[in-house]
Amino acid sequence: MSQVATSYLQTLEKSLYDLISETSTNLPTDVRRAIKKAKEAENAGTRAAMSLDTISNNIVMAEDNVSPICQDTGLPTFKVKTPVGVNQLEIKAAIKNAIVQASKDAKLRPNAVDSLTGKNSGDNTGEGFPVIKFEQWENDYIEVKLILKGGGCENKNIQYSLPCELEGLGRAGRDLDGIRKCILHSVWQAQGQGCSAGFIGVGIGGDRSSGYDLAKEQLFRHVDDVNPNEDLAKLEAYIVEKANTFGVGTMGFGGEATLLGCKIGVGHRLPASFFVSVAYNCWAYRRMAIDIDAATGEIKKWHYQEGERVTFRDEPKEETKSENKVVELRAPITEEQIRALKVGDVVKISGRMYTGRDAIHHHLMSHDAPVDLNGQVIYHCGPVMAKDENDNWTVKAAGPTTSIREEPYQGDIMKKFGIRAVIGKGGMGPKTLAALKEHGGVYLNAIGGAAQYYADCIKSVDGVDLMEFGIPEAMWHLTVEGFTAVVTMDSHGNSLHADVEKSSLEKLSQYAERVF
């Protein structure tokens, strides 16, 4: 290979690395403006307002630390447009090399898991991982788009086959009004589990796979653009307006901001099929794009930079006006301490906590715990970890994961090992709620996506067990200070999540009548 070719590939790989790092650590300008607008609309002193304050602090910390905004890398998805004659195989190899390096540098969490063995590749590469899609065009430069869409919001994607019956809305037919109902329902069903307030991309038509591709493609549009199709432009504005009357709010805590953006695309369909596919994205809307010089590999332009850039620096901090108390806890926690807590209380934890996600919960159902968990705190979290110069583990990002995945296990695990508190996001279901009441436990909702905010609360990593499950799924032993979360499920049978779901369903039902 010639020296010129080698230089080109090295420059190309560096450009792609910079794209990955920037996407992971620095929210685009249009997304920042949408979050600022949500903050301004929220009622001061509420849980939602305090959550948005934490989110904006996290955005600043991620930018300053050049560390992941959210710990969940998702499945990195690249959309690449190349001039005719450009070697796409070289670009694909450069993307994979950049992904591997970014993973080593803790800009990305190792997320590629073998679906059959459960083994994590450790570098975000594997079968179909990352996703890389190529298209040729007539321009003389390369365009590369990247989206990092975490698993929590990916799990709230939904697809409808019209006609269908929808809870709260009745029949949705094969017309624009049926589409309207599906999109409204998609926002409602996500509740806080996808880290609301969120953004949605919608694909109308296609088959099941192309419909989802079309929906995800909409997430590359600018938040404040206007759909060239007049009917769809009206529908996009309508969805955002009405969804924000549901009262789901930030993190599902209730509030004014439930949806920050809606983008709709349409494609032709089969006569027998009418799909409405919705891609739900969390507030940590990590997508970026660059134009690359096809001859040199250098970045010519960064996308999504237009308009005012909101920094979130030097903003006044929210003070809660709630009558709910602030309680400081340190493990081991007693049943008496837990029984004294109620929904809405703010808890600050210091001392020991242990991470535990899907693999840990499945493992503990049939095995002993590697440590004594009696009176302890389990954190639903898959952190981004790195080794320091002394070969010690450090936490680079550590926000909560969606807890509902552990619903089949959580109550049994708490009773079996004496666990008193579980921290996660999005809440849990009736089985866990019953166990909290019987056993004397509590569920604490942390702020989803606030990976830098919570990493700052972690003062040391004191051990790790079950590393065979991979970094995200291992049990990390953490010492924390002032780790703040809200009681959303208590030991008296109360659940904020159930209450918000019920009240938001009533509000959703107001939109059952035909509009379009």
Side-chain angles (χ1 to χ4, degrees):
M1 184 179 293
S2 70
Q3 186 174 355
V4 173
T6 301
S7 176
Y8 163 75
L9 291 176
Q10 290 174 342
T11 304
L12 174 64
E13 190 174 311
K14 174 63 165 57
S15 296
L16 292 165
Y17 178 94
D18 289 345
L19 170 64
I20 295 165
S21 178
E22 185 75 2
T23 306
S24 179
T25 65
N26 200 348
L27 276 189
T29 297
D30 59 338
V31 177
R32 289 168 176 259
R33 288 198 298 268
I35 293 172
K36 180 183 179 182
K37 185 177 179 181
K39 288 188 69 175
E40 292 171 346
E42 198 53 71
N43 295 315
T46 60
R47 287 186 293 267
M50 293 183 68
S51 299
L52 286 164
D53 193 56
T54 299
I55 285 169
S56 59
N57 287 343
N58 186 78
I59 293 169
V60 173
M61 294 172 73
E63 184 179 3
D64 289 348
N65 298 336
V66 197
S67 288
I69 298 163
C70 173
Q71 76 286 342
D72 191 349
T73 294
L75 199 169
T77 300
F78 293 84
K79 298 287 186 75
V80 186
K81 293 181 179 179
T82 63
V84 176
V86 167
N87 190 327
Q88 295 181 352
L89 295 176
E90 289 181 344
I91 296 174
K92 186 174 183 179
I95 287 174
K96 289 189 174 182
N97 289 341
I99 282 282
V100 169
Q101 188 60 50
S103 303
K104 287 180 180 177
D105 294 344
K107 305 302 182 187
L108 301 174
R109 185 181 72 187
N111 252 25
V113 178
D114 188 300
S115 298
L116 299 182
T117 67
K119 181 176 176 57
N120 193 311
S121 72
D123 62 5
N124 280 305
T125 65
E127 293 298 323
F129 210 110
V131 171
I132 307 171
K133 296 186 177 182
F134 286 98
E135 180 182 340
Q136 285 189 334
W137 65 352
E138 296 296 332
N139 292 318
D140 62 358
Y141 59 91
I142 302 165
E143 179 189 79
V144 184
K145 297 179 179 179
L146 169 62
I147 187 166
L148 303 175
K149 186 174 181 294
C153 61
E154 184 70 16
N155 289 346
K156 300 317 295 184
N157 290 358
I158 191 168
Q159 191 172 65
Y160 303 88
S161 180
L162 297 177
C164 63
E165 290 286 332
L166 300 173
E167 187 174 7
L169 293 169
R171 182 179 297 110
R174 290 185 162 193
D175 55 20
L176 192 60
D177 202 68
I179 294 165
R180 172 190 70 89
K181 288 184 176 182
C182 290
I183 302 173
L184 285 175
H185 185 272
S186 75
V187 179
W188 172 79
Q189 62 86 36
Q191 291 292 302
Q193 293 175 12
C195 283
S196 57
F199 302 81
I200 56 172
V202 181
I204 304 168
D207 62 8
R208 287 198 179 274
S209 60
S210 64
Y212 267 131
D213 282 343
L214 179 60
K216 201 165 190 176
E217 181 66 32
Q218 304 313 302
L219 294 175
F220 284 111
R221 287 172 52 191
H222 286 254
V223 173
D224 46 8
D225 74 6
V226 177
N227 199 308
N229 182 303
E230 186 177 345
D231 289 336
L232 295 184
K234 290 178 180 178
L235 182 56
E236 288 175 354
Y238 170 93
I239 293 295
V240 173
E241 177 188 352
K242 301 308 181 187
N244 285 323
T245 68
F246 290 173
V248 171
T250 304
M251 295 299 123
F253 287 166
E256 304 301 315
T258 297
L259 188 67
L260 302 182
C262 171
K263 302 299 176 184
I264 306 171
V266 62
H268 280 58
R269 61 177 178 85
L270 301 172
S273 302
F274 198 127
F275 296 114
V276 178
S277 309
V278 182
Y280 187 96
N281 206 98
C282 59
W283 70 261
Y285 188 5
R286 294 161 294 162
R287 57 97 169 91
M288 188 59 70
I290 53 175
D291 296 339
I292 296 176
D293 189 307
T296 66
E298 295 177 340
I299 296 174
K300 296 175 57 177
K301 176 185 175 183
W302 288 88
H303 294 219
Y304 307 110
Q305 304 302 311
E306 298 85 355
E308 177 197 5
R309 180 174 178 80
V310 179
T311 66
F312 295 113
R313 298 177 188 276
D314 303 319
E315 291 191 344
K317 306 306 177 188
E318 282 292 335
E319 299 292 337
T320 180
K321 297 178 181 177
S322 170
E323 296 179 358
N324 298 109
K325 58 191 176 186
V326 177
V327 180
E328 296 190 4
L329 293 177
R330 181 180 293 271
I333 303 168
T334 66
E335 181 178 352
E336 182 181 12
Q337 289 175 294
I338 292 298
R339 297 286 185 189
L341 297 172
K342 63 180 182 179
V343 165
D345 289 341
V346 176
V347 173
K348 291 189 175 182
I349 296 176
S350 296
R352 168 71 73 239
M353 69 170 59
Y354 299 95
T355 66
R357 284 170 42 114
D358 307 69
I360 294 293
H361 282 76
H362 181 265
H363 176 82
L364 291 180
M365 289 294 288
S366 55
H367 295 79
D368 291 334
V371 295
D372 182 5
L373 293 176
N374 189 45
Q376 296 296 327
V377 180
I378 288 289
Y379 183 25
H380 294 164
C381 172
V384 179
M385 306 295 294
K387 290 284 188 78
D388 63 17
E389 62 274 9
N390 298 316
D391 205 38
N392 296 316
W393 285 109
T394 61
V395 180
K396 305 299 288 186
T401 195
T402 308
S403 298
I404 195 64
R405 300 195 308 274
E406 318 312 334
E407 178 68 6
Y409 312 113
Q410 194 66 76
D412 296 332
I413 295 297
M414 293 185 79
K415 290 185 286 185
K416 178 180 179 181
F417 295 103
I419 296 165
R420 290 296 174 192
V422 172
I423 304 173
K425 72 175 176 73
M428 304 194 73
K431 182 179 178 181
T432 301
L433 186 61
L436 297 179
K437 186 174 182 179
E438 175 189 346
H439 166 65
V442 69
Y443 177 83
L444 305 171
N445 205 120
I447 309 304
Q452 292 304 304
Y453 177 84
Y454 287 116
D456 191 56
C457 297
I458 299 170
K459 302 309 175 184
S460 65
V461 180
D462 304 319
V464 61
D465 288 301
L466 303 170
M467 268 293 279
E468 61 264 33
F469 296 147
I471 285 176
E473 298 287 350
M475 178 179 278
W476 296 93
H477 309 190
L478 309 175
T479 296
V480 303
E481 184 179 313
F483 191 105
T484 304
V486 178
V487 177
T488 53
M489 299 170 67
D490 63 25
S491 62
H492 310 291
N494 302 307
S495 170
L496 174 65
H497 309 284
D499 292 345
V500 170
E501 183 174 349
K502 181 180 178 181
S503 63
S504 60
L505 178 60
E506 293 173 356
K507 293 171 182 175
L508 173 71
S509 301
Q510 297 174 5
Y511 304 114
E513 296 300 320
R514 175 172 288 275
V515 175
F516 290 97

